[in-house]
Amino acid sequence: MASVELLLGLVFGISFLAILFAVWLVRDVLRRDTGTPAMQAISDAIKEGAEAFVKRQYKTIGLLSLVVAALILSIYLSTGQTELAVKTSVGFLFGAFCSALAGILGMYVSVRANIRTAAAARHSVAEAMKVALRGGAVSGVLVVALSLIGVAGLYVLFGADPIKTPFLIVGYGFGASFVALFAQLGGGIYTKAADVGADLVGKVEAGIPEDDPRNPAVIADLVGDNVGDCAGRGADLFESTAAENIGAMILGVALYPVFGLHGVLFPLVARALGLVASMVGIISVYGKENEDPMKALNRGYLVSSVLAAILFGIASWWLFGDYWKWFYGAGLVGIVMSQLFVYLTQYYTEYKYRPVKDIAQAGTTGPATVVIAGLAVGLESTAAPVVIISLSLWLAHWLGVASGLEHGGLYGTAIATMGMLSTAAYILAMDTFGPITDNAGGIGEMSNAPKEIRNRTDRLDAVGNTTKALTKGYAIGSAALAAFLLFSAYMDEVSHLLGKPFAVVDLAKMDVFIGGLLGAMLIFLFSALAMRAVGKTAECVIKEVRAQFRNKGIMEGKVKPDYAACVDITTKGALKNMVFPGVLAIGFPIAVGILLKAEATAGFLMVGTIAGILLALVLNNAGGAWDNAKKYVETGVHGGKGSETHKAVVVGDTVGDPCKDTVGPSLHVLIKLLATITLVLAPLFL
Amino acid sequence: MASVELLLGLVFGISFLAILFAVWLVRDVLRRDTGTPAMQAISDAIKEGAEAFVKRQYKTIGLLSLVVAALILSIYLSTGQTELAVKTSVGFLFGAFCSALAGILGMYVSVRANIRTAAAARHSVAEAMKVALRGGAVSGVLVVALSLIGVAGLYVLFGADPIKTPFLIVGYGFGASFVALFAQLGGGIYTKAADVGADLVGKVEAGIPEDDPRNPAVIADLVGDNVGDCAGRGADLFESTAAENIGAMILGVALYPVFGLHGVLFPLVARALGLVASMVGIISVYGKENEDPMKALNRGYLVSSVLAAILFGIASWWLFGDYWKWFYGAGLVGIVMSQLFVYLTQYYTEYKYRPVKDIAQAGTTGPATVVIAGLAVGLESTAAPVVIISLSLWLAHWLGVASGLEHGGLYGTAIATMGMLSTAAYILAMDTFGPITDNAGGIGEMSNAPKEIRNRTDRLDAVGNTTKALTKGYAIGSAALAAFLLFSAYMDEVSHLLGKPFAVVDLAKMDVFIGGLLGAMLIFLFSALAMRAVGKTAECVIKEVRAQFRNKGIMEGKVKPDYAACVDITTKGALKNMVFPGVLAIGFPIAVGILLKAEATAGFLMVGTIAGILLALVLNNAGGAWDNAKKYVETGVHGGKGSETHKAVVVGDTVGDPCKDTVGPSLHVLIKLLATITLVLAPLFL
């Protein structure tokens, strides 16, 4: 029997170790060569733009957070629960703060790692890869470590009562989700508005190449990679780890009579050990000059996964006593599922396989068939993941039930979620690798670096596209697995508040069915608004770029375009346009909860989650497949670059951009936000 | 207290009267002028093609039906219920037969009304409109009358036991859904494969106008309008009326202690009176030469609706005694909802309003932004309908509960569904008006009729596009309203089989949640397969047209293209490619039911229905909006025909084609099929 001090000490110890590791990574990256002055000029412009956006974005988010915190405080105070009121709103603000911190620090490093990656590419691919991965790892490690410190810290701060405290921490999860929604939405709108704007006027209208320094929106486009892919996804996975830790702890409360605090603290311990596995995986990666860099990353991921599986076994054996085998089995289900999701995403989005090839083939009959084929691929790509999710849930549940414990089934699914998320830091490192290499490529292109350097960054950029797609698959898979856990946490929370069991969500009741219908509708409406926000912001960018192109000196390369103006316009547009969909995402569940009450809200949450998982899969995978169909044609197939087929697949790529980089990722966050918002505001719904 | 003989006599009487009315309409249409020999040649080719397709299609469907009937028989026999086995499989075959009959007869008239409409257009719009509406009305009236005769006939044949018989008729509904799925799917694949094929090679590659007689696929395209829009949608609404009558009768059984057989037979009486209202509406339509023909159709619809509301009130007062006000209120909810749905569909798909204008505006920045804008419109267009459905369900339920009767709430929603469907015959007449006028326009174009005639048919064709879109909105609205009724019927059926109440569908149970996840997934996967089937079939058409175009004589107008070859290839392709998605739609729910059992199957059905409603709304409305954005640009906006903007919106239109004419309508059928298949096969799921 391990003491609470030992377990929390382990969690804090590993977390602080991880922060030291991140500091070491930062120093390792920063001490490296920063390339030529031409490179530095571009990198500085990206850095400035990204930091200006993030500063203004978090000012808006900060204000909105204060409003919500005040709202939470007054809601709980009106029910006469002073302690809960203070702790929930403090937790909310702390969660929001940690999420912002993780996002900002990750981006701080990534905008500095990009130029160092470009500079390293002057020597070798392996060297450049190392810089990009280490830069990305800062974000990955910090996200997991900060979320652990936050949850464990609040646990201690709020009294470490194994029964009561987990319910007090829910505010933290909501704070993290809240910030994540706006970070992902604002960043996603920014990155795709800049991308679409730059491409449409530059590539399509003016006929100049991508990342051409004459294009005034090209810096905004490179900034977008950082604020969308890097800061956005970091916040997304931050709230995943936070929300799911809290959810699992609440379920652990139900097993308190059997496991004591072992059940409550297992999620934190498992996550801390997973962090160790991820860190080992990250330092184990070494690239070989003539090898596909993806292979090196995959080797590292395998190291992380195997080590995570071993450590998970040890933790289970240590904390679950005789029951360890059942719950270890459930954890393995999660680890295997994460591997399968990564493979499936590759199948649907890489051009080695049938789906992307079909889209490229459809390009020979024009853009319309490209879009139709891509939609079909996206819709189809929901099937295998849903079957895997269903099987994993069922198996983890069955293992938990087989343990013979009451509530064992639910706890089994919680442990499977822990298993799946144990390698989150590694996955996130691979993800942030994407924008860093993308930026490195852009810096090389814009500073007119020699062809061989650009070939090296192009190879890394291609890998970065794959890892970004994989992370989305992983994020949606973990969201799906966690969904059931978070529903149960909500129902436990309501039972706790009511003082009597609330265990049935009867979809055959009219109000619950209406709740479900509205939940699915919110997903679709939110997607529409997010998509429209990209369009609106892109329009501003397009107008600005066209206006600048009227100055002939820019097109002739004699006058430097006004990059800052584009960055500024995109920033303002993205921040303005993120507010309405964001407020809808927060306000709608509250309205449903107040009008239709707790059971219908559960229906709202569950059916909304199902719709969100499916729509996010469609949008992410269709977008990834369109992107790579374009890349496939660019390898020379069906006429190659410049052919009619190429024009057709470029249309597909542009359609896919907001799908895969704005709406899809925002939906991951939205479904978890629905879970945390209902957890926190449950007292309103009784 | 009305006797069963009186009520059934009324139902049969009105139905036979309606058939006489249809015969009169047929004679009225057939006696009219058949135009010039040039027109006749084209009309004959369409007729031949359509009849050849339908013949082969129903041969395939017939064989599949026999297999399913044998399956049903053996399943029920294996449970030892001989009577149920025979009656359910006989009901299934009878339902399949009636559905096929309604579709075939409707198409028989529509392929003959098209040329008479073209011929009448030589005189006036008003005259042409009368022919097209009367031709369309045959289908509308027959569909409702045959479904009433079928359900009422089986009720009498199977013993007229008010408690037992409704459960015996479910096979009829399944038979109707089964045929409807393949009719809509096969017809939808046919029509869009021909359309996409004709447009891509003709308009885009060869640069010749739409409906140009040199295009070998143009006859196949015109055939498609008949087999997809006319035969397909007829079968769709046939199964709606059948399935919803049966569902409401089953709920009426629950109220037997209060209303006796009045509650069981009310749905049939209400539907029969609605048929009277529709017939009056149809003959009341008169066009004015200088007026938008849509106004005349809308006046007729208003006449139908008001009359239906009055007759509904009389029926309620007659059959529900003291409770009549509550249920009349519920019926009015349905009638009002149908009006709102018609209005909303117009808002999202007509170019008078913001959404379509936005898409056209997006065309100025190319095809990619057109597709993005259209997706956003489609996703957004789910919101208002879902709110209206939710409010209507809630209100109808509340009225039923307020009556103070046990099960009153459910019965209220059933009555609202009856209200909504009371004008089904009129709506369907307007729908079939679409392909008739579309064909008339094509016949005018291909026979080189004078410009003024083509202007007249163009005006009618534009109205036809609107009425086709409206019908889809109406079909999805009624499917949504009926969904709750059909779930309840399923649960009553299971209770009946179990001999104990089955009233809770607990989404918080793992297997029910998995059922829900799989239900939503089936909707997405089916959509992918249906979309891909269009692509595959279109590819065959494209190859054939390209091959024929290599004969230079065809492009010069000297050699007549081989229309029949295109018709034949499209027929074969559509029939081959409809089988896989169709079999999946049937097999998947059975597999889920057997593996996960009755409660999870209810979750599967309910969440699948929610996902189906939303995805169908997205696809139908996005498709309609893209179509009209093209038409809007063709009025001269943003550069008009031939401009870059026009090319961009043509891409949107082509993307929308399979969405709105194949996948969306097939989803309406699929969600009702899920309901009837689970009703019939419930014994397998215990």
Side-chain angles (χ1 to χ4, degrees), chain A residues 380 505-507 513 520 532 614, chain B residues 380 505-507 520 532 614:
Chain A
E380 183 198 315
V505 180
D506 182 6
L507 203 53
F513 180 73
R532 181 159 300 147
L614 287 165
Chain B
E380 184 198 315
V505 179
D506 182 6
L507 202 53
R532 181 157 300 147
L614 287 166

Side-chain angles (χ1 to χ4, degrees), chain A residues 358-654:
Chain A
D358 278 359
I359 297 176
Q361 169 70 40
T364 57
T365 44
T369 38
V370 167
V371 174
I372 294 174
L375 285 177
V377 165
L379 289 165
E380 183 198 315
S381 76
T382 57
V386 165
V387 170
I388 290 177
I389 293 167
S390 301
L391 278 177
S392 303
L393 278 175
W394 184 84
L395 199 59
H397 193 262
W398 181 84
L399 283 164
V401 169
S403 73
L405 294 174
E406 207 189 344
H407 310 294
L410 274 182
Y411 202 64
T413 67
I415 300 297
T417 311
M418 299 298 117
M420 175 140 194
L421 280 170
S422 60
T423 51
Y426 189 90
I427 290 276
L428 195 53
M430 284 211 291
D431 183 58
T432 312
F433 175 91
I436 294 173
T437 55
D438 193 339
N439 266 223
I443 291 171
E445 187 85 25
M446 290 186 64
S447 62
N448 287 313
K451 184 101 186 98
E452 63 186 79
I453 297 182
R454 273 143 69 185
N455 281 346
R456 290 196 190 111
T457 55
D458 277 358
R459 276 175 62 193
L460 290 177
D461 188 18
V463 171
N465 274 324
T466 305
T467 59
K468 280 192 285 182
L470 299 188
T471 314
K472 283 172 215 152
Y474 177 85
I476 199 69
S478 67
L481 204 48
F484 208 74
L485 150 68
L486 290 169
F487 303 156
S488 313
Y490 167 74
M491 296 179 73
D492 280 3
E493 167 93 21
V494 173
S495 310
H496 192 73
L497 287 166
L498 285 174
K500 64 178 183 184
F502 166 60
V504 172
V505 180
D506 182 6
L507 203 53
K509 279 188 194 155
M510 178 59 69
D511 53 346
V512 179
F513 180 73
I514 289 176
L517 202 53
L518 292 173
M521 182 271 263
L522 172 64
I523 298 292
F524 281 67
L525 179 60
F526 174 83
S527 301
L529 296 176
M531 209 170 264
R532 181 159 300 147
V534 174
K536 276 189 200 162
T537 312
E539 243 168 64
C540 309
V541 180
I542 288 169
K543 277 184 194 149
E544 172 65 23
V545 176
R546 279 185 186 155
Q548 291 202 27
F549 272 171
R550 275 185 220 117
N551 178 346
K552 288 208 173 148
I554 291 184
M555 278 306 275
E556 288 161 1
K558 287 177 194 156
V559 180
K560 209 181 143 189
D562 186 356
Y563 300 130
C566 273
V567 168
D568 193 55
I569 280 170
T570 321
T571 299
K572 281 185 191 149
L575 292 183
K576 198 181 108 194
N577 291 318
M578 80 176 181
V579 174
F580 181 48
V583 168
L584 176 90
I586 313 281
F588 199 82
I590 301 180
V592 168
I594 291 175
L595 284 173
L596 297 176
K597 305 300 167 199
E599 190 176 347
T601 307
F604 172 84
L605 175 61
M606 291 173 183
V607 179
T609 301
I610 291 175
I613 292 168
L614 287 165
L615 197 56
L617 281 169
V618 172
L619 296 171
N620 288 342
N621 291 337
W626 273 317
D627 188 351
N628 281 328
K630 183 194 70 174
K631 294 223 160 65
Y632 183 53
V633 171
E634 285 174 355
T635 64
V637 188
H638 300 310
K641 265 195 176 178
S643 64
E644 283 301 310
T645 306
H646 185 241
K647 279 186 197 157
V649 290
V650 165
V651 170
D653 181 39
T654 310

Side-chain angles (χ1 to χ4, degrees), chain B residues 69-395:
Chain B
L71 212 71
I72 296 173
L73 193 70
S74 60
I75 285 168
Y76 276 89
L77 281 181
S78 72
T79 63
Q81 295 162 293
T82 319
E83 189 198 348
L84 207 56
V86 173
K87 288 185 173 169
T88 308
S89 44
V90 166
F92 174 84
L93 286 176
F94 189 48
F97 173 76
C98 288
S99 172
L101 190 65
I104 291 168
L105 288 177
M107 222 203 55
Y108 174 88
V109 179
S110 82
V111 294
R112 283 164 178 80
N114 55 11
I115 183 169
R116 289 163 175 89
T117 303
R122 291 182 304 176
H123 310 299
S124 72
V125 168
E127 194 59 25
M129 188 173 107
K130 190 187 268 181
V131 181
L133 184 66
R134 291 192 171 176
V138 173
S139 176
V141 168
L142 278 183
V143 155
V144 178
L146 279 175
S147 101
L148 274 176
I149 292 176
V151 174
L154 283 181
Y155 183 81
V156 174
L157 193 72
F158 285 173
D161 175 340
I163 301 293
K164 224 170 128 190
T165 311
F167 292 100
L168 292 175
I169 310 179
V170 293
Y172 185 83
F174 180 34
S177 306
F178 182 84
V179 167
L181 182 76
F182 285 101
Q184 180 68 68
L185 194 59
I189 295 170
Y190 187 107
T191 180
K192 287 307 125 175
D195 193 0
V196 169
D199 281 5
L200 278 179
V201 188
K203 274 205 280 192
V204 181
E205 291 180 17
I208 58 175
E210 201 166 330
D211 288 346
D212 190 293
R214 287 170 293 175
N215 192 330
V218 72
I219 292 287
D221 187 9
L222 292 168
V223 168
D225 293 331
N226 291 293
V227 301
D229 292 340
C230 174
R233 193 97 62 258
D236 177 359
L237 284 179
F238 180 86
E239 60 115 30
S240 292
T241 53
E244 285 145 25
N245 283 341
I246 296 166
M249 288 170 80
I250 289 181
L251 288 188
V253 171
L255 291 174
Y256 188 72
V258 186
F259 294 133
L261 46 82
H262 285 186
V264 179
L265 293 181
F266 178 83
L268 300 180
V269 173
R271 188 59 56 83
L273 294 174
L275 186 52
V276 172
S278 293
M279 289 190 288
V280 172
I282 289 161
I283 39 178
S284 81
V285 173
Y286 59 96
K288 294 174 192 162
E289 205 53 27
N290 295 315
E291 184 195 52
D292 179 1
M294 194 63 220
K295 282 199 178 158
L297 292 178
N298 276 337
R299 274 199 305 271
Y301 186 46
L302 194 68
V303 169
S304 293
S305 294
V306 169
L307 191 57
I310 294 168
L311 293 174
F312 212 94
I314 294 172
S316 307
W317 173 79
W318 185 32
L319 295 181
F320 291 136
D322 293 343
Y323 300 100
W324 78 277
K325 279 180 201 159
W326 304 113
F327 293 114
Y328 182 45
L332 286 181
V333 166
I335 294 175
V336 170
M337 179 173 145
S338 76
Q339 296 276 353
L340 289 176
F341 256 73
V342 164
Y343 168 73
L344 270 180
T345 312
Q346 290 187 334
Y347 176 74
Y348 278 107
T349 58
E350 282 193 5
Y351 59 68
K352 276 185 271 180
Y353 305 100
R354 195 240 339 136
V356 173
K357 282 188 179 160
D358 279 358
I359 298 176
Q361 169 69 39
T364 57
T365 44
T369 38
V370 167
V371 174
I372 293 174
L375 285 177
V377 165
L379 288 166
E380 184 198 315
S381 76
T382 56
V386 165
V387 170
I388 291 176
I389 293 167
S390 299
L391 277 177
S392 303
L393 277 176
W394 183 84
L395 199 60

